[in-house]
Amino acid sequence: MQVVKSIFDVRRVRRGLPGSWGLVPTMGFLHAGHLALAERARAENDHVGASIFVNPTQFGPTEDLAAYPRDLPRDLALLEAAGVDLVWTPPVDEVYPAGFQSYVTVEEVTRVLEGAARPTHFRGVSTVVAKLFNIFQPDRAYFGQKDAQQVVVIQRMVTDLNFPLEIVVCPTVREADGLALSSRNTYLTPEQRAAAPVLYRALCGARDAWLSGEHDGERLRQIMRAILAAEPLARPDYVSAADPFTLAELGDASRGILLSMAVRVGKARLIDNIRLIPDS
Ligand code: PAF
């Protein structure tokens, strides 16, 4: 596995290894969810590239950029064991050199949900992901369903700007009690960790209702809110039952639904979702 810092070296290694490339973009502090992306990329491509970059432009001024957990030696060992060929670990000024002023903005689907709470977040994500696509030129790029809105935004950007690659979305990896794996789970105290599976319980409550024929969006939001309200440590930011493509809140959810939420537990802001599409 080659570990490089410069864009020049990514392109050099990329050119030297012909065949298909899969890319796994990450912000490091890897968990089993990231490794599932790397393993899928390994299975579907001749070569796998990964990036480890805590991207400052996707953090708001009051967010956890400085505190974001980092462990590069452990991350590199995990990626090597997963069969990754090339890892890019750039310094910030390699990605955003002095004078940088060009951004990719995806519009409507970034104004709601996470975008409403974090107004500059998706501009940072789409910009860095566009740069990663241009630098690595992968045939496929792998993202987790855990960040459902990120997936919608990136798919929109790839379609709108004609990036020649396939976006592969991998299922959310969960702890045994349902908590979605996230690098930010490390912020939870033991008591908060015990409360955190309430997000998945709330999503499952709405999912089961939807599967039993409850397709009223407001009723599904109420089901999730009621389950969250029973957990005193959970402070919901939003609870959503939205169209899986436009992310508009739904009244009639019979044609498919993205159930999602952001909930504060202690100083962690946890997100989770379940996507339901009827069999065609
Ligand atoms: O999902 C993430 O970890 C980040 O948003 C990404 C896609 C690596 C861009 O910084």
Side-chain angles (χ1 to χ4, degrees):
M1 183 175 83
Q2 302 195 56
V3 182
V4 303
K5 288 190 187 304
S6 71
I7 295 168
F8 180 89
D9 282 339
V10 174
R11 292 195 159 136
R12 182 181 51 74
V13 176
R14 167 74 176 82
R15 268 199 307 272
L17 291 173
S20 63
W21 275 80
L23 173 65
V24 181
T26 83
M27 298 207 302
F29 211 70
L30 305 180
H31 51 64
H34 297 109
L35 300 179
L37 304 181
E39 278 151 24
R40 175 98 177 256
R42 174 75 279 158
E44 295 180 352
N45 301 276
D46 297 320
H47 307 291
V48 180
S51 58
I52 298 177
F53 179 60
V54 182
N55 174 35
T57 62
Q58 69 189 76
F59 288 77
T62 60
E63 292 180 5
D64 56 347
L65 173 62
Y68 196 83
R70 290 162 166 89
D71 190 344
L72 188 59
R74 180 174 168 276
D75 289 346
L76 293 177
L78 290 169
L79 291 175
E80 177 138 46
V84 169
D85 301 279
L86 168 63
V87 185
W88 188 37
T89 60
V92 173
D93 62 0
E94 180 73 1
V95 181
Y96 300 111
F100 184 91
Q101 54 190 286
S102 304
Y103 294 88
V104 177
T105 307
V106 179
E107 300 206 337
E108 282 163 38
V109 293
T110 66
R111 293 195 182 119
V112 292
L113 306 176
E114 288 303 286
R118 309 177 68 192
T120 56
H121 172 68
F122 286 114
R123 184 179 85 144
V125 170
S126 47
T127 300
V128 82
V129 170
K131 286 174 70 87
L132 288 164
F133 290 172
N134 283 332
I135 293 164
F136 277 86
Q137 310 225 337
D139 300 280
R140 298 180 190 84
Y142 294 79
F143 295 90
Q145 176 60 31
K146 157 87 179 2
D147 294 305
Q149 189 173 10
Q150 171 168 284
V151 166
V152 171
V153 170
I154 291 168
Q155 275 168 334
R156 194 69 252 168
M157 176 185 83
V158 163
T159 302
D160 290 351
L161 300 183
N162 310 97
F163 281 94
L165 81 168
E166 183 192 343
I167 300 299
V168 182
V169 184
C170 301
T172 302
V173 179
R174 299 181 180 282
E175 304 279 7
D177 60 8
L179 177 64
L181 296 194
S182 163
S183 307
R184 290 187 167 105
N185 292 349
T186 160
Y187 299 148
L188 298 168
T189 65
E191 193 195 3
Q192 292 158 359
R193 171 65 189 79
V198 72
L199 278 82
Y200 189 56
R201 280 205 307 282
L203 290 166
C204 289
R207 174 201 62 193
D208 294 347
W210 189 87
L211 291 172
S212 324
E214 176 58 82
H215 291 163
D216 179 67
E218 187 45 33
R219 180 71 201 115
L220 295 167
R221 287 184 285 272
Q222 278 166 9
I223 291 170
M224 294 188 281
R225 279 192 217 108
I227 296 173
L228 291 172
E231 173 47 70
L233 294 184
R235 289 170 291 124
D237 254 14
Y238 64 79
V239 165
S240 165
D243 180 281
F245 302 98
T246 67
L247 304 182
E249 290 303 316
L250 288 177
D252 169 15
S254 57
R255 285 188 307 279
I257 190 162
L258 176 67
L259 301 163
S260 71
M261 57 182 58
V263 178
R264 288 183 194 273
V265 180
K267 66 181 166 76
R269 182 173 177 284
L270 305 177
I271 60 170
D272 201 353
N273 70 89
I274 292 181
R275 193 172 182 272
L276 297 163
I277 306 284
D279 297 332
S280 46

